[in-house]
Amino acid sequence: MGKNIIRGLTSGIIAVCVLFCGLGCKKVDGIADTKIKPPIRTYIVTARIDKKGTNSNSEGTAVLKGTYDEGTKALSYTLEYKNLEPLLITLRSGAKGSVGALISEIYKKSDAKAGTSPIKGGFTLNPLQERYLLKGQWFVAIATLTLNPEISGILTLKQK
């Protein structure tokens, strides 16, 4: 009977020690609970648009220059083109060489500003659009009467 009491007392002491060690090892750190927000960045956006993007024989070229602000989610741009007459200029998202998903039409020949270069504009991005832009999966496609798209180019970002 004495051995059972000692065994019970020993196992009780071990249980209490394990309990105190488990509670004593829990580290309470206020820093771990605080989430660090990444810095808000502003980017310079550029795209060189030519026949290399579409493998055509077009002499037309275009350049898109702009900025993107992560804080406001605003993209603003200026696009200049030469040696072609665009019917439609679109911003698209997708892998290089794909048709891509339409993000925005930035020019349509039926617009009042048709035939003028440069084209200026901007819009606010949703979270999915922002993700693909920052991953480098946006491109400009310029369609003409002869080809759709005749020329295209990928948007690149550089931190300001």
Side-chain angles (χ1 to χ4, degrees), residues 42-55:
T42 304
Y43 297 92
I44 297 170
V45 180
T46 57
R48 303 207 184 286
I49 307 154
D50 56 25
K51 64 184 176 183
K52 292 177 190 171
T54 57
N55 233 1

Side-chain angles (χ1 to χ4, degrees), residues 13-130:
I13 291 172
I14 292 172
V16 169
C17 287
V18 169
L19 181 64
F20 281 127
C21 287
L23 293 176
C25 292
K26 185 174 181 183
K27 190 173 184 179
V28 178
D29 190 2
I31 296 173
D33 294 337
T34 306
K35 291 186 179 182
I36 299 172
K37 293 182 181 179
I40 295 174
R41 297 182 180 109
T42 304
Y43 297 92
I44 297 170
V45 180
T46 57
R48 303 207 184 286
I49 307 154
D50 56 25
K51 64 184 176 183
K52 292 177 190 171
T54 57
N55 233 1
S56 69
N57 60 357
S58 176
E59 294 300 317
T61 59
V63 175
L64 180 138
K65 294 180 182 177
T67 59
Y68 176 67
D69 186 314
E70 283 184 332
T72 61
K73 310 288 186 219
L75 173 71
S76 61
Y77 59 84
T78 301
L79 186 136
E80 292 185 55
Y81 60 88
K82 60 182 177 180
N83 298 331
L84 60 91
E85 189 175 328
L87 289 178
L88 181 66
I89 302 175
T90 57
L91 283 171
R92 298 186 163 272
S93 174
K96 187 175 182 178
S98 72
V99 173
L102 177 66
I103 295 167
S104 177
E105 288 183 358
I106 59 175
Y107 172 88
K108 207 173 201 175
K109 188 166 177 130
S110 61
D111 292 345
K113 61 183 177 185
T116 61
S117 179
I119 299 166
K120 295 182 181 190
F123 57 96
T124 303
L125 277 59
N126 66 38
L128 187 60
Q129 291 171 334
E130 179 185 39

